[in-house]
Every structure is written in structure tokens, then in C-alpha cells.
Amino acid sequence: MTIATPVRQQSGLAIFWAVTFTWTFAFWLAAIALGGSPTSSPTAIPYLLGGFGPVVAAIVIRVRRNRRGEPVPAHTVRTRLTPRLFWVLPMLALASGSVLAAALLSELLGGPALSLTEGKDLIATVGGPVPFLISMLVAGPLAEEPGWRGTAYPRLLASMSRLRAGLLLGAAWTVWHLPLFFISETVQAEFGLFSWSGLLFSLSVFPMALLTGYAYERAGVAASIAVHFGANATIALLTVKSPITQAFILGVQIIAAIVLLAAQRGRRSNPPVDATAHPHRVAADSSYRTSPTGV
């Protein structure tokens, strides 16, 4: 019988951080050196590849775990089709709704008026609604969530609370985005690192990390992808660039994260089982932990 240990958890995390940041920074630094637009050759290639650092690290961890015969971390959420997947759509609505509500509140209190004009232009530029949705799904949610939430988050939960795990991932996620501020024509470069918009973008990563973590515990990577996608797509469609609107989005998402964490307090996903006190439960739980459905 194999049971995950803190040493294995920490070993997996160290490899995850190393692969994620080495992969991403190597490609994005190459994009910076090449200059030019991230949507045209040759800069587009390292720019696009760099965004897949977290999922590449997740694959490395999965292959390593399988070869070593190690168990799935205790807090990993299974990815099989289960009733839990019902939560995907509410999580998508929550993420998109938080951005829309904040933008409406900002307009009501004197901020910029909402407009879909630039969003429509963006959709036309990429070739229509379907290419837009695919690009918003791949560039960010699919490239990152199997890593941040599917791999790192359950391992962090083995030794810390949801709040600490979310904030630590938020800090790592913020640092991971930094090279984008130096790649011309990215949203981050338009904001500028040392600006109110740049600061608010970096701060917004923290409540997003908490919301995606909550979604992951509800319905796994599919739900965290939905939150990531919902927020990104809505921000893109509304062309959120004003610091005032960004501040309202930050505030609304902080409130949402606090409410959800408070409601979730005291509940653990797949808590560790004491082998000496409940040997029959350990035997049943072991088959789940060694299931090939987790990362």
C-alpha cells in the first residue's frame, strides 16, 4: 500500500516550480530578445510556447509519479465524469459575472462606460467567435490550470490551509506573468509594470488564485478552467483597461473569494486518513489515491 508523504509532496512541488519557471522564462525571454509582435513570426513561436510552462510541468510530474509508482496526492480531485461537474457552469457564471458586475458598478459610480466595440473588433481580428473562444480557452486556462490547480494546489493543501495555498499560488502566478510586461503588444506591456493598471493586474491574480482553487475543489481542473476562461474572456470582450474598472473587479473578486472561503471553512477535500485508527478506510482510500485520474 502506498500513501503520499510530505517528502514526496515537497519533492514534486520543487520539480513543478523548476520546470514551470524554467520553461516559461526561457521562451518568454527569447520573445523579448526577438522583439516585434507576439502575433507574428518569429516572436509568436516562443511567446505561445512560453505560456505552456505549467502544463508541461504537470506532464513531467505525472510521468515521474507513474514511473516511481507514487500515489495521487490526497487532495487531488478526480477528473472522471461525476455529478461534481455540475459546478463547472456556475463557476463559469461566477467568474464572468464578477467582471461584468464590477464593470457595471464602475460605470455607475463614474468610471468608463461599458462598450463592446473593441471586443467585437477583437473577435473579427481573430476570425470570428469560434476562433476567439478557442484562443481564450487555450491561451491561459488549458495551458495553465492542469499545472497551477491540478498539480501544485493539491500538494500545497497537504501542508497548509486553502487561504495560504491560494495566496502562495497567487504570488507564484504573479511572478510568472512578469516577462509579459516586456513583450511588446501584450496586454501587460500596454499596462506597464510600474503603473496603476500594472499593479492592479498583478494584485488581481491573488483573488483569481483563490477562486480557481475553490472551483478546483468543487469540480477539479474543468471548473478551474471555467473560472479562468470566464474572467479572461469577459475582460477581453469588455476591453477592461481603466484602473478604476480594474480596481472594482479586484474588489468584487476579493469579496467573492472571502465569501466562498468562509462558506467552505472546515471542509477538506479527501482529507488524510489515520492508518492506525481506521485501517479499513485506508485500504479503500488507497485505491483512490493511486488512481490514474490525478496528477
Side-chain angles (χ1 to χ4, degrees), residues 191-270:
F191 288 158
L193 180 58
F194 301 105
S195 68
W196 282 113
S197 289
L199 174 62
L200 289 166
F201 170 83
S202 297
L203 290 176
S204 70
V205 175
F206 288 89
M208 275 297 295
L210 295 173
L211 290 174
T212 48
Y214 175 88
Y216 174 78
E217 289 196 64
R218 282 295 186 180
V221 173
S224 66
I225 286 174
V227 170
H228 198 155
F229 170 78
N232 282 6
T234 307
I235 287 173
L237 287 173
L238 297 179
T239 319
V240 176
K241 295 181 179 179
S242 166
I244 295 174
T245 306
Q246 286 180 287
F248 275 100
I249 293 174
L250 175 64
V252 168
Q253 291 187 339
I254 287 175
I255 292 172
I258 290 173
V259 170
L260 292 176
L261 284 175
Q264 198 180 27
R265 183 179 299 173
R267 184 177 68 84
R268 275 288 200 182
S269 62
N270 307 319

Side-chain angles (χ1 to χ4, degrees), residues 24-295:
T24 294
F25 279 28
F27 281 110
W28 281 353
L29 289 175
I32 293 171
L34 288 170
S37 171
T39 59
S40 60
S41 182
T43 307
I45 296 175
Y47 169 71
L48 292 173
L49 288 175
F52 286 84
V55 78
V56 169
I59 293 170
V60 169
I61 295 297
R62 177 64 175 267
V63 171
R64 175 179 180 267
R65 180 175 62 76
N66 286 344
R67 286 182 175 177
R68 294 163 64 101
E70 295 177 351
V72 175
H75 299 283
T76 295
V77 177
R78 287 186 284 185
T79 56
R80 296 172 181 168
L81 292 176
T82 68
R84 278 188 171 195
L85 289 179
F86 165 81
W87 284 97
V88 171
L89 288 180
M91 290 294 97
L92 175 64
L94 171 66
S96 184
S98 68
V99 174
L100 180 59
L104 289 171
L105 185 60
S106 172
E107 179 181 359
L108 181 64
L109 297 178
L114 286 181
S115 174
L116 291 174
T117 302
E118 291 188 47
K120 291 178 180 178
D121 290 342
L122 174 61
I123 292 175
T125 299
V126 299
V130 173
F132 169 77
L133 292 175
I134 292 174
S135 64
M136 294 304 300
L137 182 62
V138 174
L142 284 177
E144 299 177 35
E145 289 306 317
W148 298 129
R149 254 56 62 177
T151 303
Y153 187 67
R155 287 167 171 78
L156 289 171
L157 284 181
S159 59
M160 62 184 69
S161 67
R162 291 183 178 95
L163 178 61
R164 288 182 59 197
L167 293 178
L168 178 57
L169 266 183
W173 207 5
T174 299
V175 174
W176 183 82
H177 279 97
L178 288 180
L180 294 176
F181 284 95
F182 303 97
I183 300 176
S184 64
E185 298 185 28
T186 62
V187 172
Q188 292 80 5
E190 290 181 15
F191 288 158
L193 180 58
F194 301 105
S195 68
W196 282 113
S197 289
L199 174 62
L200 289 166
F201 170 83
S202 297
L203 290 176
S204 70
V205 175
F206 288 89
M208 275 297 295
L210 295 173
L211 290 174
T212 48
Y214 175 88
Y216 174 78
E217 289 196 64
R218 282 295 186 180
V221 173
S224 66
I225 286 174
V227 170
H228 198 155
F229 170 78
N232 282 6
T234 307
I235 287 173
L237 287 173
L238 297 179
T239 319
V240 176
K241 295 181 179 179
S242 166
I244 295 174
T245 306
Q246 286 180 287
F248 275 100
I249 293 174
L250 175 64
V252 168
Q253 291 187 339
I254 287 175
I255 292 172
I258 290 173
V259 170
L260 292 176
L261 284 175
Q264 198 180 27
R265 183 179 299 173
R267 184 177 68 84
R268 275 288 200 182
S269 62
N270 307 319
V273 180
D274 184 347
T276 58
H278 305 283
H280 61 288
R281 288 177 58 194
V282 172
D285 190 52
S286 176
S287 63
Y288 161 70
R289 294 188 187 186
T290 55
S291 164
T293 58
V295 177

